Amino acid sequence: MNALAATNRNFQHAARILGLDSKLQKSLLIPFREIKVECTVPKDDSSFVSYIGFRIQHDNARGPMKGGIRYHPEVDPDEVNALAQLMTWKTAVADIPYGGAKGGIGCNPRELSVSELQRVTCVFTQKIHDLIGTHRDVPAPDMGTNSQTMAWILDEYSKFHSYSPAVVTGKPIELGGSLGREAATGRGVVFATEFLLAEYGMSIANMKFAIQGFGNVGSWAATFIHQKGGKVVAVSDITGAVKNQNGIDIPALLKHKEKTRSLKDFGGGDAMDPNDLLVHECDVLIPCALGGVLNKENAADVKAKFIIEAANHPTDPEADEILSRKGVIILPDIYANSGGVTVSYFEWVQNIQGFMWEEEKVNYELKRYMKRAFNDIKAMCHTYNCNLRMGAFTLGVNKVARATLLRGWEA
């Protein structure tokens, strides 16, 4: 099942639980606006190349739309639509005043020079500058983009609208980026894990963790788990996988990866097949990479008691049902990985106020927001006698539906 079908299915299940009107359901699913633009730029060899840029703005009932911009050669419109919709529910679950959006350019950033990437970004910004903005739609980095990309968007947008640091988040610190933003998603994953384990009288210390994906989110999550006394017994990414039942030395693994750009040949553990990581012996499994990795083929073999969805949509609905029957507790993506967008919100607030926070305040507020959201999800689970995924979806969908009705929606 693709990401859009799975997201729609979760939405419709939540809408049934809430008893939403069918016309309101349809209105909430249809994107507010879909933008598609042509971006033709000169390459370094003076030839010209054209790419398609896009932006899906899903919902703005609760505030400006928010979501990443990705650069990838095989951009799937359905996946982007699903991720824009997920951002609408995610921001509502986190109780930050945004709606959802997502977008990007169908290019391969690895095949472009820095100057070519800058030109592509500037042309894309020129085409959409009147449809984004501090109080309209606030982009952020995603797959294939980073803080430098956001700096280029800020610069190009400011040529049309004057200096506007709050038009994007995930910026360099020197241009109004927030302290704590780089580690925010991984830190939020660990906060969420702590809150869930505490419900069962457990803590991170001495629990065994397997982490799929060792990029920004996975590496920070592993670092914080290691610091809190948890044992990371297996890690994988696109370069390979490593295991050590006594716990991997995460600082040493980070140094090895920084030096070699690979997990291969790490002396502090044994190599393993990356495909085996999801079914590796552990207490807590944290998928931090791609969507759809847990499916009906491998779900029955998962040995973890808890799954923390740090990736977007890592668990197919079929796998969800299999894992639920096994008694595996799943903390859903629209809550578990919301640390990043929450600190993006803090960055936006700081930019609007022109008053920057210390990192300690950022981390304190992140923990407070995530604890409140966890308690709100638990309350929905209790009210509707549902699992954590439906608790989160009913929470998010209900907030957006209420905002839509209060603003005067009529069937």
Side-chain angles (χ1 to χ4, degrees), residues 11-224:
F11 166 80
Q12 284 154 0
H13 188 182
R16 279 197 302 274
I17 291 172
L18 293 165
L20 293 187
D21 176 84
S22 61
K23 293 189 180 73
L24 178 58
Q25 287 186 45
K26 186 175 181 181
S27 176
L28 291 175
L29 273 181
I30 297 171
F32 170 77
R33 181 188 285 134
E34 295 189 15
I35 304 158
K36 190 174 182 181
V37 297
E38 166 265 335
C39 301
T40 298
V41 295
K43 296 190 73 176
D44 291 344
D45 63 4
S46 298
S47 65
F48 282 81
V49 62
S50 294
Y51 301 108
I52 294 174
F54 59 93
R55 185 76 173 165
I56 294 176
Q57 299 173 328
H58 180 256
D59 190 276
N60 63 355
R62 297 182 60 256
M65 292 161 286
K66 186 89 187 74
I69 288 179
R70 54 177 50 185
Y71 289 180
H72 192 272
E74 295 175 13
V75 171
D76 176 13
D78 278 353
E79 184 184 24
V80 173
N81 205 319
L83 293 172
Q85 187 190 139
L86 273 177
M87 283 298 292
T88 296
W89 317 135
K90 184 185 296 185
T91 51
V93 168
D95 201 28
I96 54 180
Y98 287 141
K102 208 76 175 181
I105 299 174
C107 67
N108 187 344
R110 295 182 179 182
E111 294 178 357
L112 298 176
S113 69
V114 172
S115 59
E116 288 169 341
L117 282 169
Q118 182 176 2
R119 288 195 288 274
V120 169
T121 303
C122 290
V123 168
F124 182 52
T125 307
Q126 290 164 16
K127 295 291 180 78
I128 67 166
H129 74 87
D130 54 346
L131 297 171
I132 62 173
T134 301
H135 299 289
R136 181 173 288 175
D137 178 3
V138 183
D142 200 300
M143 187 189 305
T145 59
N146 54 27
S147 60
Q148 178 61 73
T149 318
M150 297 305 105
W152 291 330
I153 294 174
L154 164 61
D155 180 69
E156 196 64 27
Y157 181 86
S158 296
K159 292 174 184 176
F160 296 94
H161 302 276
S162 76
Y163 184 59
S164 308
V167 69
V168 288
T169 59
K171 301 181 294 295
I173 298 296
E174 297 86 347
L175 290 175
S178 177
L179 296 171
R181 175 64 187 87
E182 184 187 348
T185 308
R187 190 183 297 276
V189 165
V190 175
F191 285 154
T193 304
E194 285 184 309
F195 302 148
L196 179 64
L197 292 177
E199 291 292 302
Y200 296 86
M202 303 174 185
S203 67
I204 285 175
N206 296 317
M207 295 281 277
K208 292 184 177 181
F209 294 79
I211 299 177
Q212 185 200 40
F214 206 61
N216 174 275
V217 180
S219 60
W220 279 110
T223 298
F224 296 133

Side-chain angles (χ1 to χ4, degrees), residues 62 87-98 334-335 338 341-342 345-346 368-370 372-374 376-377 395-396 399-400:
R62 297 182 60 256
M87 283 298 292
T88 296
W89 317 135
K90 184 185 296 185
T91 51
V93 168
D95 201 28
I96 54 180
Y98 287 141
I334 61 169
Y335 168 67
S338 63
V341 72
T342 301
Y345 164 61
F346 298 161
R368 188 172 71 85
Y369 268 71
M370 294 208 69
R372 182 176 65 191
F374 184 76
D376 290 345
I377 292 168
L395 176 63
K399 284 186 180 181
V400 178

